[in-house]
Amino acid sequence: MSDLVIRQLSKSFGGVRAVNDVSFAIKRGEFLALIGPNGAGKSTCFNMINGQLQPDSGEIMFEGTPLRGKKPRDIWRLGIGRTFQVAATFNSMTVIENVQMALISHASQVYRLWKPARALHRERALELLAQVGMQDAADRPSRELAYGDVKRVELAIALANEPRLLLMDEPTAGMAPKERNDLIALVKRLVIERGISVLFTEHSMDVVFAFADRIIVLARGKLIADGDARSIRDNPQVQEVYFGTGKTFKAEARS
Amino acid sequence: MITARTLGLVAAAGAWALTIGHGAQAQDTIKIGELNSYKTQTAFLDPYKKGWELAIEEINAKGGVLGKKLEVISRDDGSSPGDAVRVAEELVTREGVNILAGTFLSNTGLAVTEFAGKKKVFFLAAEPLTDKITWQNGNRYTFRLRATTYMQVAMLVPEALAAKKKRWALVYPNYEYGQAAAATFKEMMKAKQPDIEFVTEQAPPLGKVDAGAVVQAIDDAKPDAIFNVLFGADFAKLVREGGTRGVFKDRTVVSVLSGEPEYLDPVKEEAPVGWIVTGYPWDKIKIPEHQTFLAAYQKKYNDYPRLGSIVGYATMKSLAAGIAKAGSTDTEKLITAFRGLAVDGPFGPFTYRASDHQATAGAFVGKIALENGKGTMTDIKYVDGASVLPSDDEVKKLRPAAE
Amino acid sequence: MNLNAFVFQAVNGLSSASGLFLVAVGLSLIFGVTRIVNIAHGSLYMLGTYIAYSVATKLGGALGFWGGIVLTAILVGILGAIIEVLLLRRIYRAPELFQLLATFALVLVFNDAALWIWGPEDLLGPRAPGLTGSIELLGRRLPTYDIFLIVVGPAVLLLLHMALSKTRFGRLMRAATQDREMVGALGVNQAMLFTGVFALGAMLAGLGGALQIAREPATLTTDLNVIGDAFVVVVVGGMGSITGAYVAAVLIAEVKALCIALGIVDFGLFTVNFSKMTLVAEFLVMAIVLITRPYGLLGREQGAVRSVAEPEEPLRPATTATKIGGLIVLFVLIAMPLIAQGSPYTLVLGIDVLIAILFAASLHFIMGPGGMHSFGHAAYFGLGAYGAALLVKWFAAPMGVALAAAPLVALMGALLFGWFAVRLSGVYLAMLTLAFAQIVWAAVFQWETLTGGSNGVLGVWPSAPFESRPAFYYLTLALAALGVFLIRRFLFAPFGYAMRAGRDSPLRAEAIGLDVKRIHWLAFAIAGCICGVAGGLFAFAKGSISPETIAVSRSIDGLVMVLLGGLQTLSGPIVGASVFAVLQDSVMRSTEYWRALLGGVILLLVLAFPAGIVGGLAKLFARRKAAS
Ligand SMILES: Nc1ncnc2c1ncn2[C@@H]1O[C@H](COP(=O)(O)OP(=O)(O)O)[C@@H](O)[C@H]1O
Ligand SMILES: [Mg+2]
């Protein structure tokens, strides 16, 4: 059974067709890479899946539940976590408080007015931070972190509600190559251990080809390829999109 | 940084604690606590202050009262009732005064009236016009000097009746003073001239009249006569726009307070000739009391007095007379002394009525005229306040709160 | 009333609209580029009226009047540049809104300066040479100067449009309005740009003021009368949109003209005097516009401005030192009636200070951790005060009941207004809260039979056993301490964290299941409720209340207290309120020109502590610690 099914999804901004009639699906436990040049519509896809943007048309089903029209917070409660392309943490909080906030929300304790929040879920938050290798920074203000570390904290936050699907928009942007590999390897391990499905975008083709179970390619809002690493590499249309612009896979740095 | 927060808190507490230590001391002067909206009613209160300073100077030059000099501790009342009450409390508790005087705005005047009643402090309201200070909300401890809204209107009503106009338009600032003046005018006019029609009422916000539109709306209602209560900057705007648009031409205009130099002087040669007004034609009053006052004032300040000067001067003169009559500054004795107290003011003698604690000081009624490029009044007559006030019996019913 | 009359009033309205537009457009430009809420804009306008008056009367004739208008615009423009260079430039890195505090101080200083220079009397300028008469239109007389104004508004709009699209400076301004960071990134000299914009905005304010001298006198109350209108126009039009400002000015002026033209209308069962509506017409328009169009008529959603200031420190629970310090302060406060036995006034002031603390702390609750800059917090203070006072007046309720009702009434208001307000953000939210406060104010002001109108409610005194001053002081202290304690508790609880999460990153907050609007709505309600207690106490402390408890000036006082203490610290509002209340009290007593003095002191504090007093002290200590 597929975890997430997307059918004929479209979204325009003014005259720009950011996402144009896109359909794909993710199976449970699948590690799916969504690639494409800048402006291809990847983030827009993510934003529609997580409810931040409303599609113009099309259908998004998660475990049989239609997501269209639902708010981000409700979609999160259904078990879909996400990270942002431009990392977003709560700057006035420490690293661990960021994670605790997500845990508090998961436990539906947000409207409590009395007991101090610091004491809540600290153990579990430390565990999550340990998983992403950030336990040592737990009590530092999150605004002081290096960008790569922020991305890791974001991952810890996204894992807080034990999601069954994780959407990761450029999780390794701003990281050194070694870091990238480590992070994606970590995510891959989580996928295998917990049976989480992951949809992620990533500009480093080495990483994508090394880890992704399957790859789909967007260009100018259209889905142009869907397959394993080899078939994507050999796909002439994909080559056209990447090489035709005079760029290599690798040169596509960040957006 | 934790220490910093604590320090901040301690500093704040310390600053506040600094105010400790100014208790009342033994007095070799008679202290009068004065408070007023000096920062927002400058045009009136600047001359007002000059007026009471002159009075104090004169009183003390003659040896003061009961062998002691008068000392005025003057404060800004923040132009708000909340601040005014705090300032009044400061004067009473910190400066140790038991006589309060002053206020301009009706709401601050009423708040201090209320305070005086509760805390049993003598209060002479100098300027606020609202009838409520001596009537609905009047109390045993509060007296008022200035001719009230009711009185100002009542002085003008005979003139308005004499004009024999049927269709009247009303324009007044949208707050208690304006509303009360308009209501009183309507009531009195209807009683005497049953066929009167009020064709429109314009109530612009105080200080923010959209004069062009307002005079136009008045004109469109085709009134025979206009009753105006706007003053200050609103009055100036009204006069200029009405003049340009010819709205006042061939119409009788009856206007409250517009003959006061505070409001008439700014419009200079555009002074609306022929308007029937209450006011203060300082250059036309020939009674000796005023001549003396005028000479002293001009000598001290090298400027002519405004109505505020009269109010300030008469306030302190009243207090001096009251204290002298009481033979003491004891509050109860002061109240007794003020009931029926006769005072000689620049407009001649007046008394504080025992029935409602209102002074009978009147005002001048006349027509605005233009002389030497400046507005003044002609056909002036002094209307004694006593002649327009309701009788003692009627007043009793109006003062439910006072004993 | 016929059609001609209405049409004519509409034409009248256009000339008023030009006036409104000229006040507002400079403010819009300044805000768009620098994000400074320039409260002193009305003061610049007022200075414009005075300077133009002086030039026109000293020089006389056409040259004096028309030349004076040009000269005034230039002079006020230069003044604007000076303000920017000497004052504002030093505090751009301060937390958001802090510049508001500096411009508030300028309002005080400029007002006293004008009093000192020009004296207390209203000064009516000459009529405009060449435009003194009127023409016939629809059987009515329209002053030629009005026609001139009707043309001037759109002319200035057109000129500005051309300047903004054709010149490099203009293009930079537009770019900065849309994305401030980008301009910095483009390597543009941001300081020069800001100075230029401030000078231009000030110049327009000066021009607007100068043009009015033919219609109204220069008076000392102009500054505050004008600033509200200016903000309303800017916000209704959409921040940064000058065309929007003109459209908004026309809309508001026409609504007012219509109200005046309607006058008294008899609806059979009741009659309405529409001219009284002009009291709040602009705020009603603003509330309706903002509820239906959250970014004003022609405004666009603004990219979130990342604050240039240092972000807030994470909350740390009180250390033993803080707890001991807090206890000492509390102990001193409890002992105050004994310490101050010789000077009962200390308790009088103490009650005022404690009420101010509760007021400021509740405002800080939504402003700081909630990130919602309420410019209308006085609404909840006033609702509390009136809730209590009216119960006493109409039902002779005992004090306990009235004081219990105060927070409930305020809560109701906050729930209602907050529901709309949290749907907006930034300055739009601020202005909607202001609009609501003004509507409450106007309702209280107008509803004479219920509320006593402008005179307010009298005779609201504490009942036994709180009649004595020390007893009422203890009551106030207990409630203020409880309120501050609760606020602190809430902030450390999950709810407080969720509030800050929603402020720090609404997207992220929503993406982890937080209902940001609902959380902020409840925060708004809590703040209103606690503020209502302050209002209730105020009524009983003073014995009477009037609409002034809800006035804009009280809302601004609250902002000043919070910013003075420091937006980013929990004790900031407490320190800010104490300092402000005590300062104001002592300054008011010390000199005739107390406003200038108060403004001067605030300016010094602003320059010395650009993160507020507590924030500044905290930084000092941190540096000391790092050095040792
Ligand atoms: N909020 C928006 N408003 C207007 N256009 C947008 C918006 N978000 C994205 N776009 C446009 O949609 C297209 C796809 O953008 P995006 O999804 O961010 O691409 P990617 O993530 O693949 O780089 C781009 O042309 C972009 O300019
Ligand atoms: Mg993207």
Side-chain angles (χ1 to χ4, degrees), chain C residues 553-598:
Chain C
S553 56
R554 183 171 302 275
S555 293
I556 293 181
D557 283 355
L559 288 169
V560 168
M561 291 176 201
V562 169
L563 294 170
L564 198 58
L567 190 60
Q568 298 184 333
T569 55
L570 296 190
S571 48
I574 301 173
V575 173
S578 312
V579 169
F580 185 71
V582 172
L583 191 66
Q584 190 176 14
D585 173 73
S586 46
V587 158
M588 263 169 78
R589 240 178 292 136
S590 60
T591 159
E592 205 178 318
Y593 287 93
W594 64 265
R595 285 196 188 183
L597 182 62
L598 182 62

Side-chain angles (χ1 to χ4, degrees), chain A residues 50 52 71-73 76-77 80-84 88-94 97-98 101-102 104-106 109-118 120 139-143 154 157-158, chain C residues 306 310-317 365 485-486 489-519 522 526:
Chain A
N50 113 298
Q52 206 173 300
K71 300 210 165 61
R73 55 174 183 271
W76 180 79
R77 295 214 177 272
I80 300 179
R82 82 165 286 185
T83 66
F84 291 84
T89 55
F90 306 128
N91 270 331
S92 69
M93 298 184 194
T94 60
E97 284 169 349
N98 266 277
M101 188 72 251
I104 286 168
S105 175
H106 183 48
Q109 295 167 326
V110 168
Y111 294 97
R112 297 201 175 176
L113 286 166
W114 200 247
K115 266 237 192 85
R118 287 173 69 83
L120 292 171
D139 288 311
R140 285 177 58 195
S142 69
R143 64 184 157 91
E154 261 210 304
I157 296 172
Chain C
R306 237 170 293 156
E310 286 171 44
E312 191 173 308
E313 287 282 329
L315 279 183
R316 304 281 186 202
F365 183 68
F485 172 73
L486 283 179
R489 200 76 215 196
F490 296 165
L491 285 177
F492 280 94
F495 183 76
Y497 273 71
M499 275 170 74
R500 285 191 296 135
R503 172 200 64 186
D504 285 353
S505 170
L507 277 184
R508 160 58 71 195
E510 288 280 337
I512 59 166
L514 300 181
D515 187 341
V516 174
K517 286 207 171 69
R518 184 147 164 240
I519 289 164
L522 288 179
I526 290 171

Side-chain angles (χ1 to χ4, degrees), chain A residues 13 16 18 37-44 85:
Chain A
F13 295 108
V16 184
N38 277 330
K42 305 183 294 293
S43 295
T44 307
Q85 181 175 346

Side-chain angles (χ1 to χ4, degrees), chain C residues 62 159 176 181 187 195 254 353 378 403 438:
Chain C
L159 272 175
E181 279 150 62
T195 312
E254 293 301 347
V353 170
L403 267 186
Q438 284 301 93

